[in-house]
Amino acid sequence: MKYVIIGGCIAACGAVEGIRSKDAQGQIIIIDGEKRGAYTRPLISYFLSEPSKYSDVDYRSPDFFKDRAVETIKARVELIDRPGQLLNLDNGEQIEYDRLLIATGASPIMPPIPGADQDWVKSFYTIGDAETIDRDIEAAREVVVIGSGLIGMKAAEALFKRGLKVHLVEKESHILPRQLTPGAAVSVHRHLARQGLDIITGEEVAVIHPDHQIELKNGQKLSADLVIMAVGTRPNVELAVAAGLEVRQGVVLDDYLRTSDHKIYAAGDAAETLNVISGKQEVMALLPHAHREGYQAGRNMAGMDELDQGSIPMNSVKLLGWNICSAGVTGARDGELLSWYSKEQLLEIKVRENYLIGYIAINMPEVAGPLTNAISKKIPAAAGEWQEFVERGPSLATIPSAYWQVLRRLEANGSN
Amino acid sequence: MKVISVPEYCLGCGLCEIYCAAQHDGYDGNVLKAYKRGQPTPRSGLIKFSQISWLNTCMNCDDAPCLNACISGAVKRDEDGIIYIDENRCVQCYTCVMVCPYGHAQPSSKSGRIIKCDLCRDSEGIPACVSHCPNAALKLVQGGAEQ
């Protein structure tokens, strides 16, 4: 069997591990267009905050691919020839495949703001971006970050730690709009503002003027030596579209992570996979998911017929000393909201019938693991148990007993 | 390999936590040194509610969520199958904490670093919690947990 993987990052590493868990012999080729090997993208903000300390951003050990007999070709794929089962590369080579994995990732969105094409307006997505910004801020004093998602927040934090004056502009009414409720966002916003971040919510950038003035739609002007654009990412699906595979927002997959061509699989930020809470196929561009999907696709490429279990949106992030974990749904219309807070801690959970469907935990990671798994494994509590969990004070001891019983069964199975 | 708790036998006395902490951070199993002069930090926490208690140990899961989800490659598995944290690579994002079904891996209240059971891999013999449990409520067994 000859396996070919397009893309050389997290999903590809997962796929290699998945293939090798079932097939020690088959040939594996990775076609990787990025200069750098598999590195971990969330670490680029750590690199930017302190380059000397976080210069190593590799995801796996340097010998990871060699140890698993994986050949890497540094090139870009120009075309997937499905009838011929081969790839045309931009270096003129042709590579045949028996099983193909599309792990092409995503790219940052550059919104059509007038002036966004100037060379001091940067995306913050690759280690190359971080290295460029690291050089550019030597002489910089002030920066505007557009977008307060995870990438924008981590970029703002890194630049703030480097001593720059940081303005953060978010068009939604609160920061981290996909992770936090408006209520939970208030405390995080205040924490960051107290440290000295300038956060402007409910406002959009209208024009980026060549004289380094950033004009907002309300007329306010900010000055900046550098603008970081962090308004989101979109899946890299061009190859899949050109090959005639079914694509919505990301590459559409079946329950086995196969595309509409069953010799071709997809995983990671380019793919739509099952969100077990919404029951829909969605792009969930998160590192743990990329690895898990890659691993599962790899096993199925190697002949297994294992259903993908799906996953849920989840994140854990530290911002200027505060930890924020969130998972599942946080939207206003979903379920009953129960909340608990003390001085610098906050917990919001969302309950539908006796099921947990979402949570936000600020500075209380100790309960996050069981909550994440109660959502993703759909473990029901007895009536009133989630209410009690919050009322008695959230802790591992107050997690519903039904949850621990399910885990004990898993434990027993595993020790056989 | 993993340590499992038998809640039916567990008295909730907490000796497991005490000997766990003393076995780590260079206290060499010396409880007095750890608790009178040091900053003892147990790797596994005792969970207690009403009459039930158990030590929340690491299952060293076969398909370990912490290892799979780690964004920096800091969560590793050694030759014996024991999952451990490479502190030089850990950036304290707590993604491993967020995905652990047991709530086992936790930030240290002292350093903020992730700490977890390492089955006392740096010392001889069976893990300190098992050898010091007065009621045989802790057992060292083979295998990991399914996820």
Side-chain angles (χ1 to χ4, degrees):
Chain A
M1 190 68 87
K2 184 173 177 181
Y3 307 94
V4 179
I5 301 169
I6 310 176
C9 215
I10 309 299
C13 289
V16 167
E17 291 169 9
I19 293 167
R20 284 290 178 245
S21 73
K22 284 292 140 196
D23 181 351
Q25 303 301 324
Q27 187 186 5
I28 304 179
I29 298 175
I30 288 179
I31 319 284
D32 183 11
E34 268 203 68
K35 268 183 289 181
R36 191 88 169 227
Y39 66 92
T40 168
R41 227 171 269 287
L43 286 190
I44 68 172
S45 72
Y46 293 87
F47 168 81
L48 185 59
S49 70
E50 209 178 332
S52 57
K53 186 173 171 190
Y54 296 108
S55 58
D56 179 3
V57 293
D58 291 343
Y59 182 58
R60 291 290 188 251
S61 68
D63 294 331
F64 177 82
F65 287 135
K66 201 180 79 188
D67 289 347
R68 286 159 184 79
V70 177
E71 182 193 343
T72 303
I73 299 174
K74 291 286 178 191
R76 289 193 175 274
V77 176
E78 290 187 328
L79 184 81
I80 303 170
D81 173 359
R82 285 167 53 199
Q85 281 183 236
L86 51 85
L87 306 175
N88 289 348
L89 308 190
D90 64 354
N91 64 8
E93 263 186 272
Q94 284 197 325
I95 304 288
E96 292 180 349
Y97 64 84
D98 296 315
R99 293 288 177 274
L100 178 68
L101 180 72
I102 298 176
T104 45
S107 298
I109 295 169
M110 294 303 257
I113 298 171
D117 54 349
Q118 299 172 84
D119 65 0
W120 50 283
V121 179
K122 309 281 189 189
S123 59
F124 185 59
Y125 192 67
T126 65
I127 185 66
D129 292 340
E131 285 164 349
T132 309
I133 294 167
D134 175 44
R135 279 195 301 274
D136 290 354
I137 58 175
E138 289 301 326
R141 286 174 44 242
E142 230 171 321
V143 57
V144 168
V145 177
I146 304 177
S148 75
L150 290 163
I151 295 176
M153 296 302 286
K154 288 302 281 184
E157 182 201 40
L159 293 165
F160 180 78
K161 284 182 171 171
R162 292 285 292 268
L164 275 76
K165 173 77 191 164
V166 178
H167 309 277
L168 184 65
V169 183
E170 169 58 54
K171 79 170 160 45
E172 302 292 334
S173 62
H174 64 271
I175 57 169
L176 287 167
R178 293 182 68 176
Q179 282 76 31
L180 298 181
T181 58
V186 171
S187 59
V188 179
H189 185 133
R190 194 168 66 160
H191 163 67
L192 299 175
R194 276 182 177 167
Q195 310 263 322
L197 273 186
D198 176 33
I199 304 172
I200 303 162
T201 54
E203 197 48 65
E204 283 183 73
V205 172
V207 191
I208 302 170
H209 293 291
D211 63 353
H212 287 256
Q213 293 290 303
I214 287 80
E215 188 178 334
L216 306 184
K217 288 199 170 155
N218 68 359
Q220 186 187 349
K221 282 189 177 170
L222 305 166
S223 62
D225 304 292
L226 197 71
V227 172
I228 309 285
M229 200 67 90
V231 298
T233 62
R234 59 173 174 73
N236 294 329
V237 293
E238 294 79 3
L239 280 174
V241 170
L245 300 171
E246 193 187 342
V247 174
R248 281 185 300 250
Q249 198 198 345
V251 180
V252 175
L253 302 178
D254 68 8
D255 294 341
Y256 299 91
L257 302 179
R258 295 178 301 198
T259 67
S260 47
D261 177 334
H262 287 183
K263 291 187 171 60
I264 305 178
Y265 294 68
D269 295 1
E272 290 187 10
T273 51
L274 177 66
N275 174 341
V276 298
I277 287 298
S278 70
K280 293 184 184 128
Q281 305 287 323
E282 294 171 13
V283 174
M284 290 181 279
L286 302 163
L287 185 144
H289 295 358
H291 179 274
R292 189 191 58 78
E293 292 155 16
Y295 184 81
Q296 188 60 67
R299 284 174 66 86
N300 287 348
M301 288 162 75
M304 302 300 286
D305 281 313
E306 294 169 338
L307 283 172
D308 180 52
Q309 299 299 316
S311 49
I312 55 172
M314 55 169 148
N315 266 292
S316 179
V317 65
K318 195 176 251 189
L319 293 171
L320 296 178
W322 275 29
N323 168 253
I324 302 153
C325 293
S326 67
V329 293
T330 50
R333 280 167 302 165
D334 308 296
E336 180 192 359
L337 174 70
L338 302 165
S339 52
W340 177 93
Y341 43 90
S342 74
K343 208 172 151 202
E344 287 195 336
Q345 294 179 306
L346 171 95
L347 181 74
E348 286 185 357
I349 65 170
K350 288 273 186 154
V351 179
R352 190 161 59 205
E353 282 141 22
N354 293 322
Y355 290 89
L356 188 70
I357 57 168
Y359 76 88
I360 297 165
I362 297 175
N363 294 328
M364 46 187 324
E366 58 270 24
V367 292
L371 297 185
T372 304
N373 284 274
I375 301 170
S376 63
K377 295 185 167 74
K378 294 191 177 178
I379 300 173
E385 273 192 315
W386 285 118
Q387 285 75 5
E388 223 174 282
F389 165 69
V390 172
E391 282 161 17
R392 290 172 59 191
S395 74
L396 291 177
T398 50
I399 292 277
S401 56
Y403 177 81
W404 291 118
Q405 280 159 18
V406 170
L407 284 209
R408 291 215 163 266
R409 281 205 296 279
L410 291 174
E411 236 172 86
N413 291 342
S415 60
N416 286 336
Chain B
M1 231 177 357
K2 62 189 176 184
V3 171
I4 59 164
S5 266
V6 185
E8 292 77 14
Y9 295 167
C10 178
L11 309 168
C13 68
L15 281 175
C16 47
E17 281 190 343
I18 289 172
Y19 282 95
C20 173
Q23 200 62 50
H24 292 92
D25 302 324
Y27 299 124
D28 299 325
N30 187 329
V31 172
L32 273 181
K33 194 168 142 196
Y35 279 81
K36 285 290 190 191
R37 277 172 278 160
Q39 292 200 311
T41 316
R43 268 39 181 180
S44 298
L46 191 68
I47 299 182
K48 277 185 182 183
F49 61 91
S50 58
Q51 296 294 306
I52 305 166
S53 58
W54 74 90
L55 187 66
N56 193 29
T57 54
C58 174
M59 292 298 115
N60 280 304
C61 304
D62 298 331
D63 187 14
C66 57
L67 199 150
N68 293 337
C70 178
I71 66 164
S72 68
V75 182
K76 295 178 175 171
R77 195 191 288 276
D78 71 11
E79 316 77 76
D80 298 324
I82 301 172
I83 294 170
Y84 69 99
I85 310 290
D86 178 348
E87 291 196 345
N88 293 325
R89 295 198 69 92
C90 176
V91 297
Q92 298 181 21
C93 69
Y94 302 167
T95 302
C96 55
V97 180
M98 177 185 64
V99 298
C100 175
Y102 297 87
H104 172 78
Q106 290 287 349
S108 154
S109 57
K110 302 192 171 86
S111 66
R113 286 186 180 150
I114 297 300
I115 49 173
K116 70 174 289 297
C117 169
D118 57 4
L119 291 170
C120 298
R121 63 201 278 265
D122 294 331
S123 44
E124 296 294 316
I126 60 172
C129 58
V130 177
S131 60
H132 288 92
C133 178
N135 206 35
L138 292 166
K139 288 194 274 190
L140 182 65
V141 298
Q142 289 298 323
E146 288 179 1
Q147 281 311 321

